[in-house]
Amino acid sequence: MNFKQLETFVWVATLGSFRKAAKKLYTSQPAVSSRIVALEQSLGTELFSRHAGKFELTSKGVELLPYAQKMLVMADRFKERACETNSLSGMLRLGVSETIVHTWLSDFLQHVHHSFPNVDIELTVDVTANMRNELVSRSLDLAFLMGPISEFSIQNVDLCSFELAWVCSPEIELPEGVVPLQTILEKPVITYARNTRPFAEVQAVSKQEDIEVSRLFPSTSLAACKRMALDGLGIGMLPLALINEEVDQKRLRKISSTWEPSDLVFTASYPREPFNPLAEKMAALAADVAHDYCG
């Protein structure tokens, strides 16, 4: 029995596929199969049952998996203690919500370059729903998203929150003071993509208040939402941090309403198992950067 065999056992069990485990471990599927067979022979027991082309953990495999996971965690902790932070290396697959892209992502990447010079980041910008699925399937190592993720296999680290505000071009005619929600929803509303929390909130409150929404402009691009609001195409529901300058310059008007959207709460989320020291270190660094940015 050796470390590679244990690592392979944990990844096959976690991903539920010899093919996916081979891709994760940068090796071939026959090599993965060979390691599992060798591990089973050294232990004198089957870890996976094989039937109809599918692999499932045996009862003994289920029993032994937590022990193998703990051994990998301890090995990673051992290596982490043995080396300095700047000697950590590897590829981190990072998913990021666009709100973070437009606020403190550049600060974070600069800190990474300074503190982890041997780490490469593969960056994906996507909506939270997609990144959650990719974290669960282990296609991402870490994600900065609207959280937390209510999944036992995922660890969440608090980052920051952003106020969402109703804004529009001064050319759009609206009453002064507190504007009724119905008056806002009579105009086209520019907001986040359909499979996001802000979009769902607007739909839910309109149904609850029995208000007919004139038109929704959902978009995966905050830059596009901001541009449409500036051009007077509708009323935007946007992070205040993204449009503070335009509000100060009176290019956009911040609207007070009888209903305000919830703040966007972000977390750095990553799979608990198998233990990934890079993801843990980067999540802690992201929390420091986010707290500095948000004050």
Side-chain angles (χ1 to χ4, degrees):
M1 181 177 68
N2 59 44
F3 181 82
K4 280 191 175 295
Q5 292 168 359
L6 287 174
E7 182 182 40
T8 302
F9 167 52
V10 170
W11 276 114
V12 171
T14 300
L15 299 176
S17 164
F18 277 50
R19 178 183 58 81
K20 290 180 181 179
K23 184 177 180 180
K24 173 66 183 178
L25 296 170
Y26 301 101
T27 189
S28 65
Q29 191 167 331
V32 167
S33 299
S34 177
R35 291 176 192 174
I36 295 298
V37 169
L39 180 60
E40 289 177 330
Q41 289 176 345
S42 67
L43 295 175
T45 186
E46 284 193 347
L47 300 173
F48 295 94
S49 60
R50 304 160 176 82
H51 55 84
K54 294 183 179 180
F55 295 86
E56 295 179 352
L57 281 170
T58 62
S59 58
K60 181 58 69 173
V62 172
E63 178 185 345
L64 293 177
L65 179 60
Y67 293 96
Q69 291 172 330
K70 289 177 183 178
M71 291 172 73
L72 294 190
V73 169
M74 292 307 297
D76 283 321
R77 295 291 188 192
F78 178 81
K79 288 187 288 185
E80 185 180 348
R81 290 288 184 180
C83 65
E84 297 297 327
T85 298
N86 62 8
S87 68
L88 288 175
S89 62
M91 172 71 74
L92 183 86
R93 299 166 301 173
L94 174 64
V96 183
S97 292
E98 195 186 359
T99 305
I100 305 300
V101 173
H102 289 287
T103 49
W104 51 263
L105 180 64
S106 292
D107 293 342
F108 169 76
L109 294 176
Q110 288 176 2
H111 278 78
V112 170
H113 179 70
H114 179 264
S115 302
F116 300 87
N118 299 316
V119 172
D120 294 319
I121 290 184
E122 183 179 281
L123 189 65
T124 299
V125 180
D126 208 339
V127 296
T128 290
N130 294 340
M131 289 190 287
R132 178 203 175 279
N133 293 335
E134 291 180 355
L135 283 173
V136 172
S137 69
R138 306 309 195 274
S139 298
L140 286 176
D141 300 310
L142 174 67
F144 305 153
L145 41 68
M146 281 186 262
I149 294 179
S150 301
E151 177 81 29
F152 175 75
S153 64
I154 302 298
Q155 179 70 38
N156 299 289
V157 176
D158 292 338
L159 291 178
C160 57
S161 61
F162 291 102
E163 178 186 349
L164 272 183
W166 293 112
V167 294
C168 70
S169 166
E171 296 178 1
I172 293 181
E173 293 185 3
L174 286 173
E176 296 297 326
V178 178
V179 180
L181 177 63
Q182 182 167 350
T183 302
I184 289 178
L185 297 185
E186 287 173 353
K187 309 284 186 182
V189 172
I190 303 162
T191 185
Y192 282 69
R194 292 183 181 278
N195 54 341
T196 63
R197 191 177 304 162
F199 182 89
E201 272 198 356
V202 171
Q203 283 198 316
V205 73
S206 65
K207 290 180 181 178
Q208 181 180 340
E209 301 293 331
D210 194 24
I211 300 172
E212 185 175 349
V213 181
S214 169
R215 189 173 182 184
L216 285 176
F217 282 118
S219 174
T220 57
S221 170
L222 284 181
C225 289
K226 180 178 174 180
R227 184 70 262 167
M228 287 190 288
L230 285 166
D231 290 342
L233 297 180
I235 298 177
M237 189 172 70
L238 297 171
L240 191 57
L242 185 64
I243 41 86
N244 264 324
E245 183 177 342
E246 286 75 14
V247 172
D248 290 341
Q249 296 173 351
K250 301 189 183 305
R251 297 169 62 203
L252 285 175
R253 170 191 169 188
K254 184 176 182 292
I255 307 164
S256 296
S257 175
T258 52
W259 178 86
E260 302 289 347
S262 302
D263 289 353
L264 301 179
V265 178
F266 287 88
T267 61
S269 302
Y270 58 92
R272 295 175 185 270
E273 301 291 350
F275 173 66
N276 184 339
L278 271 182
E280 185 180 78
K281 288 282 187 183
M282 294 299 180
L285 177 60
D288 290 339
V289 173
H291 293 162
D292 286 345
Y293 181 90
C294 297

